[in-house]
Amino acid sequence: TLLHNGNSNKLYIYYADNYLGPYKPHALNPVKNNLNGSRSAGNFIQVDGNDFRPSQNCKNYYGESITINKIVKLSETEFEEEEYMKKKKKNSEEFNFGIHTINAAGKFVIIDGQKGHFQPFLQICRAVKRLFTRNKHKFTFALYYMNGINFEEYIAV
């Protein structure tokens, strides 16, 4: 994904003959436009001659799960991958708020997790977003209205 886009739902591929470049854009860029699968979640993984690309699933919220995609075609003019499996967070674990990265090194697999914290304002924003997902104008208005509320008045001292 590109930093200047302001979002993480478009996947771009660049290639070169060596690490120093020059890099050329893939003919199909962006090769993917989806909140489930565009944002990288770690290094490519090779198993039994197959290449897998881990990606973040941020469809409903950041860190919802990790999708492992099997690379079907990858060349200068073609790109195709298919969802192979998902790794979801475990609600029973301490770091159960979201998962973002998976990497393998030897016999180890490392997954990072985010620990949830009680944040009432953020939870209210997420609830409002879920309510108004279908109508972005209502959601924008609700957030604008909520920004004017002084939540410190409601916090018990």
Side-chain angles (χ1 to χ4, degrees):
T1 57
L2 298 176
L3 183 61
H4 71 274
N5 275 1
N7 59 40
S8 301
N9 60 330
K10 292 182 182 178
L11 176 64
Y12 296 86
I13 297 175
Y14 293 86
Y15 63 94
D17 292 329
N18 64 61
Y19 289 119
L20 299 176
Y23 285 88
K24 300 172 192 166
H26 194 276
L28 301 176
N29 275 347
V31 296
K32 199 169 199 176
N33 187 1
N34 191 332
L35 286 173
N36 176 12
S38 292
R39 188 175 178 153
S40 178
N43 294 326
F44 281 72
I45 302 167
Q46 196 170 56
V47 178
D48 297 330
N50 294 306
D51 292 320
F52 297 89
R53 186 183 69 85
S55 62
Q56 293 185 25
N57 175 12
C58 301
K59 186 176 179 181
N60 296 309
Y61 59 90
Y62 180 68
E64 178 178 353
S65 64
I66 292 175
T67 303
I68 306 294
N69 304 287
K70 182 178 181 181
I71 304 294
V72 177
K73 293 179 186 176
L74 179 59
S75 71
E76 294 176 3
T77 58
E78 296 179 301
F79 173 74
E80 184 183 342
E81 66 180 7
E82 58 189 28
E83 186 176 308
Y84 183 75
M85 67 182 291
K86 281 191 179 189
K87 171 64 180 148
K88 296 183 177 184
K89 62 185 175 51
K90 293 184 180 179
N91 288 331
S92 61
E93 295 177 358
E94 182 179 3
F95 294 92
N96 64 359
F97 195 68
I99 56 177
H100 309 99
T101 308
I102 183 169
N103 277 301
K107 62 182 180 177
F108 297 100
V109 175
I110 297 99
I111 300 174
D112 81 332
Q114 182 178 357
K115 184 176 183 176
H117 298 281
F118 181 65
Q119 298 172 315
F121 181 71
L122 186 59
Q123 291 169 330
I124 291 170
C125 287
R126 286 186 180 138
V128 170
K129 182 177 179 182
R130 282 191 300 270
L131 289 173
F132 296 111
T133 300
R134 293 188 186 121
N135 190 329
K136 291 183 180 182
H137 297 294
K138 287 182 181 177
F139 174 63
T140 303
F141 172 75
L143 280 181
Y144 175 76
Y145 178 74
M146 288 172 52
N147 282 333
I149 297 173
N150 182 0
F151 283 94
E152 291 177 7
E153 296 174 7
Y154 301 98
I155 298 173
V157 180

